[in-house]
Amino acid sequence: MDADVVIVGAGPTGLLLAGDLAEAGVTVTVLERRTEESNVTRAFAVHARTMEELDIRGVAGELARTGTPIRELNLFDRVRIDLSTLPSDFASLLITPQYQTERVLQQRADALGVRIVRGAEVTGLTQDGSGDGGVDVTVCTAQGPVATYRASYVIGADGVNSAVRRALGLPFPGRSVIKSIMLADVRLSEPPADVLAVNAVGDAFAFVAPFGDGWYRIFAWNRRHQVDDKAPVDLEEIREVTRRALGTDFGMHDPRWLSRFHSDERQVPRYRVGRVFLAGDAAHCHSPAGGQGMNTGMQDAANLGWKLAAAVHGWGGESLLDSYHQERYPVGRQVLHSSGAILRLALIRPGWGRKARNIVGQILMAIPPVAAAAAGTISGIGIRYPAPPGADRRVGTRMPNIPVTGGRLHDALRGGRFVLVGSRAPTVDLPAQVDAAVPVRPTGELLLVRPDGYLAWAGTAAEFPAWANRYFAGSSRPVEHPSTTE
Ligand SMILES: Cc1cc2nc3c(=O)[nH]c(=O)nc-3n(C[C@H](O)[C@H](O)[C@H](O)COP(=O)(O)OP(=O)(O)OC[C@H]3O[C@@H](n4cnc5c(N)ncnc54)[C@H](O)[C@@H]3O)c2cc1C
């Protein structure tokens, strides 16, 4: 074996996963087609749940220093989603360029000893499930010769045109939802008063958000001028569309990046085929509305990392590996629906339709449970995984960052281990995978928190040993799967 795990793609998904695996003592090689690190600002919004995951890894503070937090989203005309009431240490949306997120994750991966091979384009793979089984990944380097890497598990984190997904023969069903969206990163001589400005009027849609360093991201869409992605982008057209949608072009000038893209809604039907897993854009893609793509990919990685590490270390069985698809596929589905809904609402054409949308939106956001649900959905704070039959109903929910002796729960989770929280935790025999933390305000019950911050189990000290024996014994039987090749 060249490594326990090979990850294809050093985007945000692949980098977070690589760091998690290395931290768990798993040898990992990342194969990346690009020869240089990315300086592209595709994603610019990091949501609260992603910040919590980064906090568990000790890098949230560093990323927060690169951007601007937004505490309220102003959608359409005065439909406000208040993020400041989220039950999180990160009750906001962080606006920062994707390259900053990648830089922070790359530094973490480097510090943990991840091997990243650049200029390595994956063109196919073959997997065998018998005996000790493994996956052979075929690589075409920039110099030409073909190399093969063998690993126990392979992750396709290689983006929307995933070669790994193709090699698995998986379809990517869905459709194109919006074409010819213009994008510009510019300076503004008259920036908007609201941190975030977004509106659509008639055939024009525009969105403006600050990066916090003097640069602004503009999206503009012109229903009257729909052209191919490769058609040149003219800043004058972006100015004109922004004026129609928002009443002003904010004096935009000096673009550092102009681009045009289209947006699809697609999701792969299976996130796992034998020893190969798909994560991030390779598994799902959707409209940029709601700023969910990168966030969902990083949270896929947070869900998968500790499960793969468990399999490599011999205690995580087939059902734990399968739970990656069972937990993350529905989240991807939900993101497709929510980002699609925001986009369709934004682009409603008739004036009466937009008025109705705005009035209904304002009424709904005035109802506290509806407003809380909207903030929970968009921020990822509301994500929960299904509890197994017979389990405490809280199993699968996100564990808040409660104060524990010596710090906070997120500090205790650093290192990628389970944490047993409870007043009597130290008196229980702990499995090798588990650390203990004593809450500042003990409740008398035990809560076992997974490395990704979700609740694995809740119960009494008397119940814990039998449950833990079953859970951490797992099964190390080999993965059986037919060969896959391209
Ligand atoms: C204009 C725009 C704005 C966006 N805004 C947001 C936002 O605000 N918030 C948000 O959450 N998301 C946003 N997104 C989506 C976000 O950019 C993606 O969801 C995110 O980059 C996905 O990360 P990833 O790591 O899964 O894939 P990618 O970032 O695409 O990374 C995949 C990596 O794999 C490499 N690769 C590809 N093929 C191969 C191969 N065959 N062999 C080896 N390496 C390969 C690529 O070079 C790349 O480095 C936006 C997208 C766009 C286009």
Side-chain angles (χ1 to χ4, degrees):
M1 293 282 172
D2 296 291
D4 295 323
V5 177
V6 161
I7 297 173
V8 185
T13 305
L15 289 171
L16 190 137
L17 181 59
D20 282 10
L21 289 167
E23 188 158 45
V26 171
T27 58
V28 51
T29 297
V30 181
L31 302 173
E32 167 56 51
R33 181 173 58 188
R34 282 182 285 121
T35 48
E36 303 289 324
E37 286 174 25
S38 169
N39 62 355
V40 168
T41 26
R42 280 191 299 163
F44 56 92
V46 185
H47 283 290
R49 184 57 189 152
T50 308
M51 289 301 282
E52 291 184 339
E53 289 291 358
L54 294 175
D55 195 38
I56 288 171
R57 289 154 183 82
V59 293
E62 189 186 344
L63 187 64
R65 282 191 287 281
T66 67
T68 308
I70 292 181
R71 299 206 159 69
E72 186 178 78
L73 295 180
N74 188 358
L75 298 181
F76 322 129
D77 189 14
R78 292 188 294 275
V79 179
R80 292 180 187 271
I81 298 182
D82 184 3
L83 301 173
S84 68
T85 55
L86 283 169
S88 170
D89 299 345
F90 301 93
S92 60
L93 173 70
L94 181 73
I95 304 289
T96 190
Q98 179 163 337
Y99 63 77
Q100 292 286 12
T101 306
E102 291 184 17
R103 181 186 59 77
V104 166
L105 293 172
Q106 165 94 50
Q107 278 174 1
R108 170 177 179 254
D110 288 344
L112 289 162
V114 171
R115 179 181 175 217
I116 302 184
V117 183
R118 294 196 176 270
E121 176 160 4
V122 169
T123 51
L125 60 83
T126 311
Q127 61 174 318
D128 48 88
S130 55
D132 285 337
V135 191
D136 292 308
V137 178
T138 313
V139 164
C140 182
T141 65
Q143 288 70 40
V146 169
T148 301
Y149 289 81
R150 185 165 175 79
S152 299
Y153 297 97
V154 167
I155 318 306
D158 50 344
V160 70
N161 298 312
S162 170
V164 173
R165 190 182 63 231
R166 277 200 308 279
L168 292 172
L170 288 175
F172 202 32
R175 64 200 178 95
S176 204
V177 280
I178 183 167
K179 294 187 175 132
S180 201
I181 312 170
M182 293 172 288
L183 177 160
D185 283 359
V186 293
R187 301 276 188 191
L188 301 182
S189 37
E190 298 143 25
D194 271 346
V195 183
L196 238 164
V198 54
N199 202 18
V201 172
D203 289 334
F205 166 86
F207 169 99
V208 181
F211 284 114
D213 58 358
W215 288 99
Y216 286 78
R217 161 64 51 86
I218 317 285
F219 288 127
W221 184 72
N222 186 359
R223 199 190 297 264
R224 295 181 206 157
H225 188 220
Q226 297 286 291
V227 291
D228 188 80
D229 284 357
K230 294 193 185 76
V233 183
D234 179 8
L235 185 64
E236 190 42 53
E237 185 184 359
I238 296 182
R239 277 202 198 103
E240 191 266 326
V241 173
T242 308
R243 280 196 295 272
R244 271 198 277 144
L246 291 166
T248 166
D249 64 14
F250 306 106
M252 64 180 82
H253 58 94
D254 285 343
R256 67 174 172 185
W257 190 34
L258 289 169
S259 179
R260 194 186 292 275
F261 67 101
H262 71 280
S263 180
D264 287 1
E265 278 175 1
R266 298 182 186 279
Q267 189 178 28
V268 76
R270 296 161 68 189
Y271 282 22
R272 175 186 181 201
V273 178
R275 294 178 171 276
V276 185
F277 298 76
L278 293 169
D281 277 16
H284 45 75
C285 68
H286 21 81
S287 92
Q292 301 289 327
M294 180 181 74
N295 287 274
T296 309
M298 288 162 70
Q299 290 170 40
D300 288 346
N303 184 287
L304 179 57
W306 64 272
K307 295 173 181 174
L308 275 177
V312 170
H313 293 318
W315 69 265
E318 287 297 286
S319 61
L320 189 64
L321 290 176
D322 280 342
S323 73
Y324 167 64
H325 170 90
Q326 286 153 5
E327 293 186 340
R328 293 306 299 173
Y329 178 89
V331 172
R333 200 87 210 137
Q334 162 68 28
V335 169
L336 251 70
H337 291 317
S338 60
S339 59
I342 295 173
L343 184 73
R344 286 175 188 94
L345 285 169
L347 298 181
I348 289 177
R349 202 170 181 182
W352 62 264
R354 291 199 303 273
K355 276 195 188 113
R357 171 198 68 195
N358 297 346
I359 292 168
V360 173
Q362 283 178 55
I363 292 170
L364 287 175
M365 287 311 129
I367 304 170
V370 178
T377 299
I378 206 153
S379 64
I381 290 293
I383 291 170
R384 66 156 300 164
Y385 302 128
D392 185 288
R393 65 185 167 73
R394 291 166 298 174
V395 168
T397 56
R398 156 194 162 276
M399 185 72 187
N401 187 21
I402 56 168
V404 296
T405 308
R408 314 271 296 184
L409 178 63
H410 288 180
D411 305 322
L413 283 166
R414 271 173 210 163
R417 290 165 57 75
F418 285 77
V419 172
L420 187 64
V421 180
S423 55
R424 280 172 284 171
T427 66
V428 174
D429 276 345
L430 293 176
Q433 299 86 344
V434 181
D435 289 333
V438 178
V440 168
R441 270 176 248 106
T443 59
E445 67 177 345
L446 295 183
L447 300 171
L448 183 69
V449 186
R450 306 182 342 185
D452 59 353
Y454 291 85
L455 202 60
W457 173 87
T460 64
E463 293 161 343
F464 182 70
W467 180 88
N469 277 342
R470 281 196 310 278
Y471 188 79
F472 291 107
S475 148
S476 51
R477 76 187 157 83
V479 182
E480 294 298 339
H481 201 270
S483 294
T484 316
T485 250
E486 183 172 90

